[in-house]
Amino acid sequence: MRTAHKPEGPWTADTLIYAPTLVESNGFVYAGVAHPYLDTTGQTLTVHYTNSPNVLQVIKVNFTK
């Protein structure tokens, strides 16, 4: 994940927010989609992604200061 105060940047360095295990991902994760409208407070972010063999996974990222 990277953040910025403006859409054009400057952007922060990458921050790892989740790493699926090899068993979960089979070594391949794609089609990640964020759903920010599920928490309008901005304290969490729900993300879904697909892995091989076509299994949909959903995670919730909790932001802390």
Side-chain angles (χ1 to χ4, degrees):
M1 181 177 90
R2 298 174 77 192
T3 61
H5 292 286
K6 300 182 289 185
E8 64 273 13
W11 291 87
T12 63
D14 293 348
T15 300
L16 182 64
I17 60 171
Y18 179 75
T21 66
L22 189 55
V23 172
E24 287 178 318
S25 66
N26 227 6
F28 191 60
V29 172
Y30 61 98
V33 177
H35 303 278
Y37 52 85
L38 294 176
D39 180 0
T40 57
T41 69
Q43 294 179 3
T44 66
L45 179 63
T46 301
V47 178
H48 85 260
Y49 62 91
T50 303
N51 59 26
S52 180
N54 296 322
V55 175
L56 186 67
Q57 301 283 335
V58 179
I59 63 165
K60 184 181 279 190
V61 180
N62 293 302
F63 296 103
T64 59
K65 290 186 177 189

